[in-house]
Amino acid sequence: MRMALHEAEQAYAAGEIPVGCVIVAVSGQGVVIGRGHNLTQMLHDVTAHAEMQAITAAAETIGGKYLQGCTLYVTVEPCVMCAGAIGWAQVSRLVYGAADPKRGYTVYAPQALHPKCTVTAGVLEDECQELMRRFFQEQRERK
Amino acid sequence: MRMALHEAEQAYAAGEIPVGCVIVAVSGQGVVIGRGHNLTQMLHDVTAHAEMQAITAAAETIGGKYLQGCTLYVTVEPCVMCAGAIGWAQVSRLVYGAADPKRGYTVYAPQALHPKCTVTAGVLEDECQELMRRFFQEQRERK
């Protein structure tokens, strides 16, 4: 999750909503096969969430579209779109930091993940949340 | 929807699940600003659904990420991931052909679209459904 937070900080520095994601293939020592951060502003593309970038990168790395046996770390609870993608990719474990009651999948699409996917919430929650809070406060102050 | 079906037929010809999508900016005469078909096999990427391709293409065309005032035509009911993306993009109208009770957003994420988005289902339903049926029958016969 430290690496995912580092990705989120990169998004923050670029003026993007600070969400970061890392995907690890957990067999053996654990290898990072994909990472990403939110790029929706830069790419003018609502689909460019951190998780989507990381899933596409991971699939590219392994040359296959299914991420069974992989853990996806993301600093904020995935939205409906990203949870759907995590489900399609059959990710085995999801670990997230801050909850997102306004947009999070646990409220709006609780069955989106693969039925065998295990979920751990609240990892480094305060740091993940604080980065988001700081970003949106700065956005408000600019207006 | 005819154009979306044409996209779906291209997916079919390429051995992809035959779903096609077209996005039209409806102001004035209506201009196609994005289109796409399923490419998950070719790209080894679960995120490469028809709607995602079309949304990314449309955003590229207009140089902005929001698709207010646009209609998205897709041959099969969007999944949770795609409905989430359609919601983020603030698409104003969704028109789809065949329902997808196993994966469709109306069952698994009924609030995913933008609250103001209007939905028309069942347009050219038989043709959209028949293409899917034929594809999966052929897949079964190959096994």
Side-chain angles (χ1 to χ4, degrees):
Chain A
M1 187 61 91
R2 282 272 162 231
M3 289 173 67
L5 254 172
H6 183 64
E7 285 288 331
E9 283 158 5
Q10 288 181 258
Y12 182 94
E16 302 273 358
I17 295 176
V19 182
C21 180
V22 170
I23 298 175
V24 176
V26 290
S27 60
Q29 298 202 331
V31 178
V32 173
I33 58 170
R35 64 178 76 203
H37 56 263
N38 190 35
L39 288 172
T40 52
Q41 291 297 111
M42 195 186 81
L43 298 179
H44 303 301
D45 188 345
V46 296
T47 73
H49 283 194
E51 300 94 315
M52 307 299 274
Q53 310 284 332
I55 288 170
T56 298
E60 179 79 22
T61 302
I62 64 172
K65 62 183 175 169
Y66 295 117
L67 303 175
Q68 292 150 331
C70 295
T71 299
L72 185 148
Y73 297 86
V74 60
T75 57
V76 178
E77 180 186 343
C79 72
V80 167
M81 172 181 74
C82 293
I86 294 166
W88 282 119
Q90 301 183 18
V91 168
S92 296
R93 187 173 171 226
L94 165 64
V95 181
Y96 66 85
D100 182 1
K102 283 190 187 164
R103 295 286 197 166
Y105 82 96
T106 56
V107 174
Y108 295 100
Q111 293 174 282
L113 306 181
H114 190 274
K116 291 185 180 168
C117 182
T118 58
V119 180
T120 307
V123 174
L124 301 183
E125 184 174 8
D126 290 347
E127 286 172 71
C128 296
Q129 185 65 57
E130 173 58 19
L131 197 59
M132 291 285 274
R133 195 198 58 73
R134 193 148 44 98
F135 177 81
F136 286 111
Q137 186 179 336
E138 281 179 16
Q139 294 289 103
R140 279 192 299 272
E141 285 168 2
R142 271 187 207 162
K143 283 177 184 168
Chain B
M1 187 61 91
R2 282 272 162 232
M3 289 172 68
L5 254 171
H6 183 65
E7 285 288 330
E9 282 157 6
Q10 287 181 257
Y12 182 93
E16 301 274 359
I17 295 176
V19 182
C21 180
V22 170
I23 298 175
V24 176
V26 290
S27 61
Q29 297 201 332
V31 178
V32 173
I33 57 170
R35 63 178 77 203
H37 56 262
N38 189 34
L39 288 171
T40 50
Q41 292 297 110
M42 195 187 82
L43 297 179
H44 304 301
D45 188 346
V46 297
T47 73
H49 283 194
E51 300 94 315
M52 307 299 274
Q53 310 283 332
I55 289 170
T56 299
E60 179 78 20
T61 301
I62 64 172
K65 62 183 175 168
Y66 295 118
L67 303 175
Q68 291 150 332
C70 295
T71 299
L72 185 148
Y73 297 85
V74 60
T75 57
V76 178
E77 180 187 342
C79 72
V80 168
M81 172 180 74
C82 293
I86 294 166
W88 282 119
Q90 301 183 20
V91 168
S92 295
R93 188 174 170 225
L94 165 64
V95 181
Y96 66 85
D100 182 2
K102 285 190 185 164
R103 295 284 198 167
Y105 81 97
T106 56
V107 175
Y108 294 100
Q111 292 174 283
L113 306 182
H114 190 272
K116 291 186 181 168
C117 183
T118 59
V119 180
T120 308
V123 174
L124 300 184
E125 183 174 9
D126 291 347
E127 287 173 70
C128 296
Q129 185 64 59
E130 172 59 18
L131 197 60
M132 291 285 275
R133 195 198 58 73
R134 191 147 44 97
F135 177 81
F136 285 111
Q137 187 178 333
E138 280 179 17
Q139 294 287 105
R140 280 192 298 271
E141 284 168 3
R142 271 187 205 162
K143 281 178 185 166

